[in-house]
Amino acid sequence: MDIQLVSALISGLGMGSMYGLMALGFYITYAVSGTVNFAQGSSMMLGAVLCFTFSQTLQWPLVPAVAMALLCCAFYGLVVEFLAVRPFTRRGSDAWLMSTVALGIVLDNLVMHTFGREPRSLPSSLAITPLEVAGVNLAVYPLQLIIPLVGLSLALVLHGVARYTRWGTALLATEQNKDAARLMGIPIGRAIAGAFALSTLLAGVAGMMIAPLSNVNSDMGTLFGLKAFSVAILGGIGSPWGVMVAGLLFGVAESLITVTLGSGYTHIITFALVIVALALRPNGLFGRAGVKKV
């Protein structure tokens, strides 16, 4: 197989797993509360910017910098739920659709005025020297091999938490029947807030993993957030493994189109393929039509 195609497949799997990770955030909030955080792209940007700030500007060691950045991302998720979602869902309003977008724009602009407009580079020893096999340069960094492993590992951990822990059981109960879960003593409000915190934390992980391979700036999450939402719908937003597989497919398709046809056609063809797929499978590739009792 051509080295260029191998490189495209590896980088595509890496980017796709990050799309899938962010899309899992959409799944979590939708499953638990019936809402989504349209500021997910801003959450991804926040993780990258905070990691850069703590590790490069403040010169913290990497582990504390990453931990604090993720903690701040989770706190941002709580803020999104408290300010942009809860007040509207309590009134039965769908205005959270706009309020989450607005809060993301506010965050983007706050970061632009504090962090600056200039793109920064987040250095990583795993994104300096490309891998070589038998003297052949694969044009792939070690980080691009690690990213899919991290993404799939986090998806497995999330699956285990949902199935085998008390908190995961509470989330599943909330998903299936909120009224019954409330009668069983499950704190619905805390479960929903926790889902938003976990959603933004996953986006923060994606931002920090991608940052060494691209530039860190206040606008970096906009297109990523749009792609992640497309992936969530494509996979079937009610299917966790569906959105993860859709993320991988989207990432690989994106890389292969870029290599074969050029970057000018990447977004045209990938989003056109999403439209065609949804026209054939309106509930997503792995989604199921909802059943309503009448």
Side-chain angles (χ1 to χ4, degrees):
M1 186 182 291
D2 186 81
I3 293 297
Q4 200 173 23
L5 288 179
V6 173
S7 174
L9 284 172
I10 294 173
S11 61
L13 287 173
M15 293 301 293
S17 63
M18 293 298 99
Y19 294 148
L21 204 58
M22 292 178 67
L24 276 177
F26 286 115
Y27 157 75
I28 292 166
T29 56
Y30 181 79
V32 175
S33 67
T35 63
V36 295
N37 176 17
F38 283 110
Q40 190 76 332
S42 300
S43 309
M44 172 244 182
M45 175 274 298
L46 184 65
V49 167
L50 289 177
C51 186
F52 180 93
T53 301
F54 293 141
S55 64
Q56 301 302 308
T57 306
L58 300 180
Q59 294 294 305
W60 288 13
L62 183 61
V63 173
V66 168
M68 181 57 71
L70 291 179
L71 186 63
C72 291
C73 286
F75 179 74
Y76 175 65
L78 296 177
V79 172
V80 170
E81 192 276 332
F82 184 75
L83 294 180
V85 177
R86 188 183 304 182
F88 304 104
T89 54
R90 279 181 173 176
R91 297 178 175 87
S93 169
D94 291 330
W96 54 266
L97 290 161
M98 190 62 233
S99 62
T100 54
V101 173
L103 194 57
I105 294 172
V106 169
L107 177 63
D108 290 349
N109 281 272
L110 283 174
V111 171
M112 181 183 68
H113 287 296
T114 54
F115 186 73
R117 295 175 180 268
E118 290 298 319
R120 318 280 180 89
S121 176
L122 182 63
S124 170
S125 59
L126 298 173
I128 297 176
T129 306
L131 293 171
E132 291 187 4
V133 175
V136 178
N137 189 334
L138 296 180
V140 171
Y141 296 109
L143 183 60
Q144 290 174 285
L145 292 178
I146 294 173
I147 285 176
L149 297 178
V150 172
L152 292 173
S153 297
L154 286 174
L156 283 172
V157 169
L158 187 62
H159 176 76
V161 168
R163 294 293 177 183
Y164 304 112
T165 69
R166 188 175 180 180
W167 186 70
T169 304
L171 288 181
L172 290 175
T174 304
E175 171 189 357
Q176 293 170 6
N177 191 316
K178 288 184 175 61
D179 293 330
R182 187 177 289 108
L183 290 173
M184 292 296 292
I186 295 174
I188 303 299
R190 291 181 186 177
I192 293 174
F196 272 84
L198 181 57
S199 169
T200 50
L201 186 146
L202 292 175
V205 171
M208 285 187 284
M209 296 295 291
I210 292 170
L213 301 172
S214 61
N215 291 319
V216 179
N217 60 76
S218 60
D219 296 328
M220 66 181 291
T222 304
L223 189 56
F224 275 101
L226 179 60
K227 290 178 181 180
F229 184 67
S230 301
V231 162
I233 301 301
L234 177 64
I237 198 167
S239 170
W241 286 109
V243 301
M244 198 69 200
V245 171
L248 295 174
L249 291 174
F250 190 97
V252 169
E254 198 175 50
S255 290
L256 291 178
I257 292 168
T258 300
V259 167
T260 55
L261 299 177
S263 59
Y265 294 94
T266 303
H267 293 148
I268 296 173
I269 297 177
T270 49
F271 282 104
L273 290 174
V274 169
I275 293 171
V276 171
L278 291 176
L280 298 174
R281 299 277 299 179
N283 297 299
L285 298 178
F286 304 96
R288 296 181 180 178
V291 178
K292 293 184 178 180
K293 294 182 180 181
V294 295

